[in-house]
């Protein structure tokens, strides 16, 4: 037998590789082949790629381009990287693309392409090989998952090591809590966390640190409570609540909290200090609670780290509780120093008083109040609960203010139960006010020495704030002296202005308004904002205001005036980038021409229409080199009764919302005030939109155009609004040439009717509205005052009766109708003007 295993007859039947059919080698190759034109059109494809993707050959050849087979992300890479590289280099290798198969599957691939060119160097054809990268992608994903798991484990260990180091250096419970409460976020990806510490004396748990909005620091729960944290503290077991449904089965109150705060998983970790007596359950010193937005299942590695965190935190808390009274005195000294620094951050008196009581509660007391004898009404700030009896507290505060001696509760008697300490705030021998403190339930206030030092530091800080506000008032007076003084008056229009300085510093600002007569029939109004603050900004504002008055003329117009101001700011560098809204009103024709140089658009409210912004006539700020050089203006006609509002950016701009939202808020507020009396309207808008302690200057100018044929106003049930209504009504009567005697009669009767509606109709409804309508018909003035309140009989009928008698005495006719509210209709004949 021949030793060669291959028999001669078999050898004769074999075909050598180079004798195989090239077409079969192409079609059945272990990789996909594509031939495309330069635009990507597929002209040839092998069977291997067709089998992988599930497409028939007829669906691809001549019908699809290579990039049509790619996913959106791969198509973007094809257009931005693959195609340019292939054109420049002539070939690309190992480019990862995801192909979309006929059934919608995505096939991971690696692609090599070669660009063939004709003799003239023009692209002729692209040959591409496609390799199936499914298994490779799976390996990569497995490696990535393993790598991420290792990184997460390393991160958790690193966080734990850092926390352990911080705990070793943390001497107090508060510092331990602050260190531990920061761990769940970086270690496990928790959204927020809070720590409840067991108060052994009071047998309760108290929140001492939190990274989220709830529960607030200082919240207390009895240790015997059925709430989740109390049960975990009693049992000493780790609880991982994986869903709201699971929480509802065991801890209903926790389920409700999870629904309200959007948490899906919550971990309750007991902070233990080792086994108790006789190897019993561990001593639980507190509970760490942290939550996740999504449902989360902690693996064994994470659970081990969680339990280790609880044990390390418990040991640190146990060490912190061993510190003696000396350490507590040191902590109080630190508290006094930190409180002093915290108060110095707020320059104004009322915010500083509020921060003082907020820092004292619950660190020192359960309730705190500051009373200062500053100004006609004084200053009062309080925080915490429960407060003592107000009458008793007022008496004790008056006695302490008069004597200058602190008042401590006696050991016996009813005042002992109140447990309230009243301390004088004395500065340079003068008692500025009092500081009252009441301990939280189950706790005691500090000693007399600590409380005395606290009162002394608080008094000095509050006195500094009082002196600051005194200087601030002087600065504001300077600011107002730089604004326009007397505004021009005319029966054809009414002006209302308002300025509110920023509430954060002493520096004056650069916001201003002005109104002046250009000619007898032309009125100019302007609101502007100079960049920056301080004396330079105020001086520049004064220069610009004077320049506008000097440059305004009957022939120039707003656009020409802005062009002249551009040349002016070339010589006054501090005026560059100032924004200006300027308008000229022809009082004879009621036409307004306006232009805005980088300023917020004017807001116009016409009778019967919603307020709208005037967005034409816009160009860049004064002296802006980036803006177009020409200035534009726009002309509109103002209907009688129209109200035009010019304002500065402090009214609408906020850091926490888009500018468009600010415009929308202003338009809604302006629409709500459309029927309000014009006097006080600008101040009311400022109150609604910015309040009294805003961080930027606010400047408003409101122009009411023409005389309304019919006066329609709505005011709130507030007696303070009557004066504003009288001023508005007086101007309307004068514009309609009502004689002085008739005007005074109408004003008196209308005021009495509105006062009665507020006093009797809305006695129990401070949010009621009184509607006032006035019209001139022929030779008589008719006024209608209506409310929708419920009039009740009162003991003081004589006062009400005198009001009705007075109305009937001064008016020719008074009719009272009752239904859903009360309507008083009054008429008064007008005298002919001499």
């Amino acid at each position: 037998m021949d030793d060669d295993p291959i028999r001669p007859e078999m050898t004769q039947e074999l075909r050598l590789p180079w004798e195989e059919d090239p077409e079969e080698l192409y079609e059945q190759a272990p990789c996909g082949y594509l031939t495309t034109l330069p635009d990507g059109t597929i002209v040839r494809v092998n069977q291997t790629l067709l089998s992988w993707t599930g497409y028939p050959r007829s669906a691809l050849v001549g019908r699809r381009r290579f990039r049509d087979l790619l996913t959106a992300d791969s198509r973007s890479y094809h257009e931005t990287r693959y195609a340019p590289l292939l054109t420049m280099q002539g070939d690309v290798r190992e480019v990862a693309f995801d192909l979309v198969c006929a059934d919608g599957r995505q096939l991971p691939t690696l692609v090599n392409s070669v660009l063939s060119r004709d003799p003239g160097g023009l692209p002729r054809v692209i040959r591409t090989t496609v390799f199936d990268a499914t298994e490779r992608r799976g390996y990569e994903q497995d490696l990535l998952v393993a790598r991420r798991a290792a990184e997460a484990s390393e991160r958790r260990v690193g966080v734990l090591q850092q926390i352990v180091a911080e705990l070793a250096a943390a001497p107090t419970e508060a510092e331990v809590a602050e260190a531990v409460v920061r761990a769940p976020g970086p270690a496990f990806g928790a959204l927020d966390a809070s720590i409840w510490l067991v108060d052994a004396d009071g047998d309760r748990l108290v929140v001492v640190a939190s990274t989220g909005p709830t529960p607030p620091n200082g919240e207390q729960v009895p240790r015997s409570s059925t709430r989740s944290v109390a049960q975990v503290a009693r049992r000493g077991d780790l609880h991982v609540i994986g869903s709201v449904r699971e929480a509802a089965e065991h801890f209903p109150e926790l389920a409700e909290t999870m629904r309200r705060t959007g948490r899906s998983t919550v971990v309750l970790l007991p902070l233990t200090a080792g086994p108790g007596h006789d190897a019993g359950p561990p001593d639980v010193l507190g509970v760490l609670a942290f939550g996740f937005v999504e449902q989360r299942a902690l693996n064994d590695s994470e659970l081990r780290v969680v339990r280790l965190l609880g044990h390390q935190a418990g040991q640190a808390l146990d060490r912190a509780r061993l510190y003696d009274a000396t350490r507590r005195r040191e902590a109080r000294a630190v508290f006094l120093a930190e409180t002093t620094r915290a108060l110095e951050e707020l320059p104004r008196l009322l915010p500083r008083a509020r921060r003082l009581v907020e820092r004292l509660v619950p660190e020192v007391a359960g309730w705190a109040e500051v009373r200062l004898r500053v100004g006609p009404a004084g200053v009062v700030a309080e925080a915490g609960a429960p407060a003592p009896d107000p009458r008793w507290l007022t008496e004790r505060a008056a006695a302490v203010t008069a004597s200058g001696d602190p008042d401590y509760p006696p050991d016996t008697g009813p005042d002992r139960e109140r447990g309230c300490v009243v301390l004088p705030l004395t500065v340079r021998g003068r008692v500025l006010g009092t500081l009252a403190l009441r301990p939280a339930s189950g706790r005691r206030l500090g000693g007399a020495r600590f409380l005395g030092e606290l009162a002394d530091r608080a008094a000095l800080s509050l006195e500094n704030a009082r002196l600051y506000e005194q200087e601030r008032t002087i600065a504001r007076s300077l600011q107002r002296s730089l604004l326009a003084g007397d505004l021009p008056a005319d029966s054809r229009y009414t002006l209302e202005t308002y300025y509110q300085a920023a509430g954060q510093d002493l520096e004056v600002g650069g916001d201003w308004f002005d109104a002046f007569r250009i000619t007898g029939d032309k009125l100019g109004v302007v609101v502007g904002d100079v960049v920056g603050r301080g004396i330079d900004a105020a001086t520049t504002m004064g220069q610009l205001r004077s320049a506008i008055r000097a440059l305004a003329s009957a022939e120039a117009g707003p656009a020409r005036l802005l062009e002249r101001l551009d040349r002016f700011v070339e010589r006054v560098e501090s005026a560059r980038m100032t924004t200006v809204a300027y308008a000229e009103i022809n009082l004879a024709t009621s036409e307004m021409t306006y232009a805005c140089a980088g300023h917020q658009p004017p807001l116009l409210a016409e009778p019967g229409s919603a307020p709208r912004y005037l967005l034409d006539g816009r160009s860049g700020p004064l002296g802006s080199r980036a803006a177009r050089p020409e200035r534009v203006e726009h002309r509109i006609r103002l209907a009688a009764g129209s109200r035009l509002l010019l304002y500065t950016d402090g009214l609408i701009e906020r850091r926490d919302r888009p500018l468009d939202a600010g415009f929308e808020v202003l338009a809604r507020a302006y629409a709500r005030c459309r029927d309000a009396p014009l006097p006080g309207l600008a101040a009311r808008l400022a109150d609604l939109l910015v309040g009294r302690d805003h961080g930027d200057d606010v400047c408003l100018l409101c122009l009411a155009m023409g005389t309304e044929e019919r006066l329609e106003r709505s005011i709130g049930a507030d007696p303070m609004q009557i004066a504003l209504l009288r001023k508005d009504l007086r101007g309307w009567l004068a514009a309609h040439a009502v004689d002085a005697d008739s005007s005074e009669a109408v004003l008196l009767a209308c005021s009495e009717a509105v006062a009665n509606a507020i006093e009797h109709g809305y006695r129990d409804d401070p949010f009621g509205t009184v509607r006032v309508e006035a019209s001139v018909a022929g030779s008589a003035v008719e006024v209608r005052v209506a409310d929708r309140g419920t009039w009740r009989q009162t003991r003081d009928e004589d006062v009400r009766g005198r009001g009705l008698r007075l109305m009937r005495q001064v008016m020719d006719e008074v009719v009272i109708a009752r239904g859903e509210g009360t309507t008083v209709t009054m008429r008064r004949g007008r005298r002919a003007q001499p």
Side-chain angles (χ1 to χ4, degrees):
M1 177 178 285
D2 192 348
D3 294 336
D4 191 349
I6 302 178
R7 292 177 295 180
E9 59 274 18
M10 294 178 62
T11 304
Q12 294 175 0
E13 296 177 359
L14 292 175
R15 297 179 62 187
L16 296 176
W18 52 83
E19 294 177 348
E20 285 189 305
D21 182 6
E23 185 66 22
E24 182 179 359
L25 281 175
Y26 176 82
E27 293 292 341
Q28 304 300 328
C31 62
Y33 281 105
L34 278 172
T35 302
T36 64
L37 297 179
D39 66 351
T41 302
I42 300 174
V43 297
R44 190 172 184 185
V45 58
N46 72 343
Q47 185 60 42
T48 300
L49 186 58
L50 294 175
S51 300
W52 287 352
T53 61
Y55 290 106
R57 195 182 305 271
S58 60
L60 299 182
V61 175
R63 294 179 177 273
R64 305 286 289 276
R65 293 176 296 180
F66 175 58
R67 62 175 173 268
D68 297 337
L69 303 180
L70 304 179
T71 62
D73 291 342
S74 296
R75 193 179 303 123
S76 174
Y77 189 82
H78 179 281
E79 298 294 337
T80 59
R81 300 295 299 276
Y82 167 86
L85 284 175
L86 184 61
T87 302
M88 290 188 298
Q89 301 177 177
D91 65 342
V92 291
R93 300 182 183 279
E94 295 189 349
V95 177
F97 284 140
D98 288 338
L99 301 184
V100 180
C101 300
D103 58 3
R105 293 180 297 107
Q106 293 187 9
L107 176 67
T109 65
L110 289 177
V111 171
N112 294 340
S113 296
V114 176
L115 174 65
S116 176
R117 300 179 182 271
D118 61 17
L122 297 176
R124 184 178 65 179
V125 70
I126 300 173
R127 297 184 175 90
T128 302
T129 58
V130 182
F131 298 94
D132 187 350
T134 302
E135 293 186 2
R136 174 173 176 172
R137 184 73 60 84
Y139 296 150
E140 292 175 348
Q141 291 177 349
D142 291 342
L143 289 174
L144 182 60
V145 170
R147 179 180 178 182
R148 288 176 177 172
E151 290 175 348
S153 177
E154 182 179 357
R155 183 178 66 252
R156 286 192 295 270
V157 172
V159 171
L160 183 60
Q161 290 175 341
Q162 180 181 355
I163 294 300
V164 169
E166 293 179 1
L167 293 178
T172 66
E173 287 184 354
E175 290 173 307
V176 170
E178 289 293 339
V180 175
V181 80
R182 295 193 300 268
F188 310 106
L191 180 63
D192 55 16
S194 58
I195 283 189
W196 302 71
L197 293 186
V198 175
D199 185 346
D201 294 336
D203 197 23
R204 62 192 172 189
L205 288 92
V206 181
V207 178
V208 297
S210 174
T211 61
T214 56
N217 290 358
E219 183 177 350
Q220 301 178 8
V221 173
R223 197 170 184 179
S224 58
S225 170
T226 58
R227 290 185 59 174
S228 54
V229 290
Q231 295 189 48
V232 170
R234 292 196 302 270
R235 298 172 184 173
D237 297 330
L238 170 66
H239 280 63
V240 180
I241 297 90
S243 65
V244 176
R245 178 179 299 179
E246 182 181 346
E249 295 177 1
H250 304 284
F251 309 113
E253 51 81 22
L254 179 60
E256 179 61 28
T257 301
M258 292 172 66
R259 292 190 190 96
R260 186 178 68 254
T261 59
R263 306 295 181 268
S264 299
T265 298
V266 171
V267 177
L268 299 175
L269 172 65
L271 309 180
T272 59
H277 300 293
D278 300 328
D283 185 13
V284 179
L285 303 181
V287 176
L288 172 64
F290 54 94
F292 304 87
V293 174
E294 71 285 351
Q295 290 193 2
R296 178 76 179 276
L298 301 181
N299 56 39
D300 292 340
S301 175
E302 291 175 320
L303 290 175
R304 285 194 297 270
V305 175
V306 169
R307 289 191 174 91
L308 183 57
L309 174 63
H311 185 63
Q312 292 290 337
Q315 288 185 332
L317 287 171
D318 193 36
R319 290 195 304 269
R321 289 187 174 183
L322 298 178
Y323 277 83
D324 55 13
T326 302
R327 188 63 184 175
R328 288 194 297 271
R329 287 196 296 269
E330 293 177 358
R332 287 172 178 172
V334 172
F335 171 78
L336 290 175
E338 292 179 347
T339 299
T340 302
R341 288 194 295 270
L343 296 181
E344 295 301 324
E345 294 174 357
L346 300 174
R348 301 192 62 184
L349 182 58
L350 181 56
R352 186 172 290 192
R354 288 173 176 168
R355 174 165 289 187
L356 172 62
V357 295
E358 288 168 359
R359 288 190 62 84
L360 294 177
V361 177
E363 186 70 20
V364 173
W367 172 88
E369 181 199 67
V370 168
R371 293 192 181 196
L372 302 176
R373 298 191 304 170
V374 176
V379 172
V380 178
E382 70 170 305
D389 178 67
R391 181 176 300 178
W392 176 90
L393 182 61
T394 300
E395 294 175 355
R396 300 314 306 158
V400 169
T401 301
S403 66
D405 298 324
D407 180 85
Y408 292 95
D411 295 333
T412 59
D415 287 346
R416 178 180 180 275
E417 298 301 325
R418 294 188 175 94
C420 184
V421 174
V422 183
L423 305 169
L425 298 174
T426 307
V427 182
R428 292 183 288 274
R430 172 176 172 264
V431 178
L432 182 66
T434 58
L435 171 63
L437 301 172
R438 190 175 192 181
S441 177
R443 298 179 59 182
R444 295 182 178 180
L445 296 173
R449 182 175 180 180
F450 165 71
L451 295 178
E453 186 175 357
L454 172 64
D456 290 342
R457 294 198 180 199
L460 181 59
S461 179
L462 295 172
E463 172 67 4
N464 290 339
R466 186 190 68 82
L467 295 175
Y468 164 83
E469 293 217 340
Q470 181 177 323
E471 295 179 5
R472 184 173 179 270
T473 301
I474 298 173
R476 295 302 172 237
S477 299
L478 172 62
Q479 172 75 40
R480 295 185 183 278
S481 69
L482 295 174
L483 295 173
D486 295 334
L487 299 176
D490 195 303
S491 60
R492 293 173 288 183
Y493 64 85
T494 308
L495 284 171
E496 176 73 6
T497 60
Y498 181 78
Y499 176 82
Q500 179 176 316
Q504 304 300 326
D505 54 50
L506 284 172
E507 289 189 320
V508 294
D511 293 15
W512 90 93
F513 61 79
D514 199 4
F516 53 91
R517 297 290 280 270
I518 301 173
T519 66
D521 286 332
K522 181 170 287 189
L523 173 71
V525 293
V526 61
V527 166
D529 187 358
V530 176
V531 177
R533 298 188 61 77
I535 296 299
D536 289 342
T539 303
T540 303
M541 176 263 284
Q543 291 176 309
L544 282 172
R545 190 187 67 181
S546 300
I548 290 174
R549 287 199 173 207
L551 295 174
S553 65
E555 300 80 15
R560 184 68 181 277
L561 182 140
L562 293 181
E563 292 174 357
R564 294 175 176 176
L565 286 178
D566 283 328
R567 293 192 292 271
F568 173 79
V569 301
E570 291 178 359
R571 301 188 299 272
V572 183
E573 184 65 26
S574 59
R576 190 175 298 279
M577 302 307 293
T578 295
T579 65
V580 174
Y582 175 71
E584 294 181 355
I585 299 95
N586 189 321
L587 301 176
T589 63
S590 296
E591 288 187 340
M592 180 179 76
T593 307
Y594 68 93
C596 292
H599 203 81
Q600 289 72 29
L603 183 57
L604 176 64
E606 296 178 296
S609 301
R612 61 186 177 95
Y613 288 100
L614 304 182
L615 301 177
D616 298 305
R618 303 191 58 77
S619 54
L622 298 182
S624 173
R625 298 183 177 92
R628 59 184 183 181
E630 69 275 7
R631 295 293 183 178
V632 294
E633 62 185 35
H634 190 71
R635 179 174 298 176
I636 63 172
R637 186 177 184 84
L638 299 179
S642 298
R643 291 183 176 184
L644 177 73
L645 181 68
L646 305 180
Y647 53 94
T648 55
D649 56 5
L651 187 66
I652 59 171
E653 289 187 359
R654 303 290 182 275
R655 294 181 179 179
D656 56 351
R657 73 181 183 197
L659 184 58
D660 289 346
F663 283 122
E664 183 178 350
V665 170
L666 173 58
R668 289 201 303 265
Y670 199 44
R672 289 197 301 269
C673 299
R674 65 191 310 160
D675 291 336
L678 184 64
L681 174 62
R684 182 180 177 186
L685 283 173
D687 284 341
L688 289 174
L689 270 63
V690 302
R692 293 294 182 179
D693 197 19
H694 188 47
D696 194 5
D697 292 352
V698 176
C699 190
L700 298 93
L701 183 148
C702 187
L703 169 72
M705 188 62 191
T707 301
E708 301 167 77
E709 182 177 349
R710 180 182 182 87
L711 180 76
E712 297 181 356
R713 298 290 184 263
S714 295
I715 67 171
D718 180 2
M720 299 296 293
Q721 296 288 318
I722 298 177
L724 302 178
L725 176 65
R726 284 175 58 88
K727 184 176 179 181
D728 207 11
L729 181 57
R730 185 186 298 276
W732 181 83
L733 291 169
H736 280 275
V738 177
D739 62 280
D741 292 341
S742 299
S743 294
E744 291 301 324
V746 170
L747 289 170
L748 178 59
C750 182
S751 299
E752 288 292 334
V754 173
N756 277 346
I758 294 174
E759 180 181 357
H760 300 289
Y762 293 122
R763 180 181 304 131
D764 301 323
D765 183 10
F767 301 103
T769 300
V770 180
R771 181 75 175 175
V772 179
E773 299 176 1
S775 61
V776 177
S779 60
V781 179
E782 181 175 294
V783 179
R784 180 178 290 108
V785 178
D787 67 76
R788 301 183 66 84
T790 302
W791 286 55
R792 297 180 181 179
Q793 297 295 327
T794 65
R795 298 179 181 178
D796 196 9
E797 289 297 319
D798 290 340
V799 175
R800 175 181 165 191
R802 284 198 299 270
L804 293 176
R805 287 195 298 271
L806 183 59
M807 285 187 279
R808 291 192 173 101
Q809 182 178 355
V810 299
M811 300 296 285
D812 297 335
E813 181 181 352
V814 177
V815 179
I816 300 176
R818 302 193 187 279
E820 294 184 2
T822 301
T823 300
V824 180
T825 303
M826 301 174 287
R827 290 176 60 84
R828 165 80 184 209
R830 53 188 295 191
R831 297 178 182 177
Q833 294 289 347

